[in-house]
Amino acid sequence: MAKLVMAAATPHNPLLWRAMRDPMPDDLAGVAANFDRFRRSFADHEVDVVVVIGTDHLRQFSYENSPAFVVGKAESYHGTWENEVRTFGMEYVELEGHRELADEITGRTVQPEAIDFSVSLEWRLDHSFVIPLQYVRPELDVPVVPIHTNASMPPVPSVRRFVALGEHVRSAVEAWESDARVALLTSGHMANDVGGPRTFAGSPDPAFDRSAAAWMRAGDLDGAIAGCSDFDRMLEAGCMTSQFLNAVAALAAMGGRPADFADVTESRFASSPFFLWETR
Amino acid sequence: MSRYMVDKFMRFVELSDARVAEYAADPAAYVDRWLVEGVGPEAATDDRVLTDEERAAFAARDIAALYALGAHPYLLWHFTEAVHAHEFTPESGWRELVERYRAAVVPHGVVDYIP
């Protein structure tokens, strides 16, 4: 059986791509160091395939048809979009897909009990997938199964659906008849308000950040569910805070146990989540 | 109020360098052309319509008005960044745009942006 050997939650702030260069700015040194730690962990775990949970930012998926959860079943993926190259200085990348694991997660003929997934065989991945992969696996040589979660176009799935997603990814990996070593990489935010009144003014809600970090450090899945169940509270913390739910999926995938490493790193932009679960 | 079309227009422009350049060169003409060209049997919907208020806000690049009208905040910020990026100079760059943007939206607080 395949094995889920590690899980991680990272930021995907694309502004880092231009700003986090040598000489490293003082306020970004911690972010760079944490990404480096995660890169080493990924390499140490000898990962064969990586499931990446991110949130497309109204690039491929928009209000024409806004799915709650999408699993990529493509053979390969183009990475990033023209506007992200322009605005963030990102680079176009090509990524190999992993159809077999995607089928395991999605269900090939009948939907799994956990979630009614949408699937996409033609998907151009945005920065929420490309940025964490470029920092955690710069070689981009590990095949991916991308999973989009709608955390930016209300109605957002409930936090319990994100828990179900994490638990389902784990069970699908463990049911897969393979000796592959699988990593789960999720990306998102702590409190974050892009385009709202507190845009790029540091954390818009330090109290939320403290609570959210505590759920990860303590392995408090019930606390995370309770704390993220109120959309208005999430919106109060910033219009893009719902992407923290991707980290909750990672916590759930690892059985709700405390993260082995948990850091919320301050920078000029906002607070960055770094949560890591390793194989014991 | 047609928040969906406001979001659709911003996204349409922002996804393409060429469209950003065309819009920035003459916003009023561009938004009028978009409204006309959107109507046709090949479109999923034939109702590419903005209210007079929304059209005027795009024509004037009035960020405060668009925000108050319920534009999706994330899209609005990136639309703003895209259509003003050509104005950046070493003296007035990204951080200054952030400050201008924030000054425009702060008076309106948190708005309902769900279409």
Side-chain angles (χ1 to χ4, degrees):
Chain A
M1 296 297 106
K3 186 176 181 187
L4 186 62
V5 294
M6 66 173 287
T10 77
H12 59 230
N13 182 350
L15 296 168
L16 296 172
W17 194 246
R18 213 191 289 275
M20 212 160 62
R21 299 271 184 226
D22 287 330
M24 191 64 65
D26 289 344
D27 71 309
L28 298 177
V31 174
N34 284 340
F35 267 126
D36 195 48
R37 180 188 190 114
F38 283 33
R39 179 187 58 74
R40 291 195 306 272
S41 178
F42 193 96
D44 290 346
H45 283 85
E46 299 177 318
V47 173
D48 298 307
V49 53
V50 55
V51 177
V52 186
I53 296 177
T55 297
D56 177 85
H57 295 75
L58 296 94
R59 306 293 83 166
Q60 174 133 346
F61 308 114
S62 187
Y63 281 114
E64 289 92 338
N65 187 350
S66 175
F69 299 100
V70 182
V71 176
K73 292 178 60 166
E75 299 294 337
S76 62
Y77 302 92
H78 297 304
T80 205
W81 294 70
E82 187 175 1
N83 64 318
E84 300 195 319
V85 173
R86 176 187 65 238
T87 305
F88 308 130
M90 288 176 60
E91 299 156 10
Y92 292 112
V93 297
E94 301 295 324
L95 298 164
E96 181 186 351
H98 199 292
R99 178 62 186 263
E100 189 177 341
L101 179 54
D103 276 340
E104 285 289 335
I105 293 170
T106 311
R108 183 171 172 78
T109 56
V110 178
Q111 294 274 8
E113 294 291 335
I115 290 176
D116 302 320
F117 289 107
S118 295
V119 298
S120 177
L121 281 84
E122 187 176 5
W123 188 349
R124 190 162 174 173
L125 300 172
D126 88 338
H127 68 269
S128 68
F129 300 88
V130 173
I131 288 288
L133 282 169
Q134 283 183 308
Y135 284 120
V136 174
R137 186 65 178 182
E139 301 88 345
L140 300 178
D141 59 351
V142 175
V144 303
V145 178
I147 301 179
H148 159 75
T149 64
N150 174 27
S152 58
M153 291 180 286
V156 171
S158 76
V159 61
R160 292 184 184 279
R161 304 300 284 157
F162 284 80
V163 170
L165 173 65
E167 291 173 344
H168 175 68
V169 167
R170 180 182 195 92
S171 63
V173 167
E174 292 178 346
W176 180 25
E177 293 186 12
S178 165
D179 59 1
R181 297 169 61 81
V182 181
L184 174 63
L185 182 58
T186 74
S187 78
H189 305 290
M190 307 304 289
N192 197 18
D193 193 41
V194 180
R198 296 156 294 170
T199 295
F200 303 127
S203 174
D205 195 331
F208 177 87
D209 288 349
R210 284 193 294 274
S211 296
W215 302 327
M216 298 294 162
R217 291 193 179 106
D220 183 5
L221 189 55
D222 289 339
I225 293 169
C228 298
S229 290
D230 181 350
F231 179 81
D232 289 338
R233 173 66 188 97
M234 300 288 277
L235 183 61
E236 180 186 318
C239 63
M240 300 302 280
T241 304
S242 290
Q243 291 188 64
F244 175 76
L245 296 171
N246 292 333
V248 177
L251 175 63
M254 299 311 277
R257 71 171 168 90
D260 297 304
F261 177 83
D263 188 47
V264 177
T265 319
E266 300 291 333
S267 78
R268 73 191 73 174
F269 303 119
S271 301
S272 294
F274 285 97
F275 306 116
L276 177 64
W277 293 261
E278 299 180 292
T279 303
R280 289 176 167 169
Chain B
M1 181 77 68
S2 50
R3 290 176 184 143
Y4 170 57
M5 287 297 157
V6 169
D7 289 345
K8 183 167 179 168
F9 178 78
M10 291 193 298
R11 180 172 176 268
F12 178 79
V13 171
E14 195 241 332
L15 279 173
S16 155
D17 287 352
R19 296 196 288 258
V20 167
E22 287 179 51
Y23 172 78
D26 190 343
Y30 189 86
V31 70
D32 286 348
R33 192 160 68 248
W34 181 82
L35 287 167
V36 171
E37 291 176 354
V39 178
E42 76 284 0
T45 55
D46 237 9
D47 56 352
R48 196 179 281 197
V49 172
L50 297 173
T51 65
D52 291 345
E53 202 176 12
E54 291 162 347
R55 187 221 160 265
F58 278 126
R61 291 196 295 186
D62 187 339
I63 300 310
L66 289 167
Y67 184 77
L69 287 165
H72 191 296
Y74 181 90
L75 280 177
L76 181 62
W77 161 248
H78 286 286
F79 175 78
T80 302
E81 193 174 38
V83 302
H84 286 279
H86 67 289
E87 300 168 2
F88 289 179
T89 67
E91 293 75 34
S92 176
W94 184 82
R95 182 51 71 177
E96 285 73 22
L97 184 63
V98 170
E99 297 302 330
R100 282 162 53 196
Y101 180 93
R102 198 182 298 137
V105 305
V106 160
H108 302 284
V110 175
V111 299
D112 182 2
Y113 63 90
I114 302 171

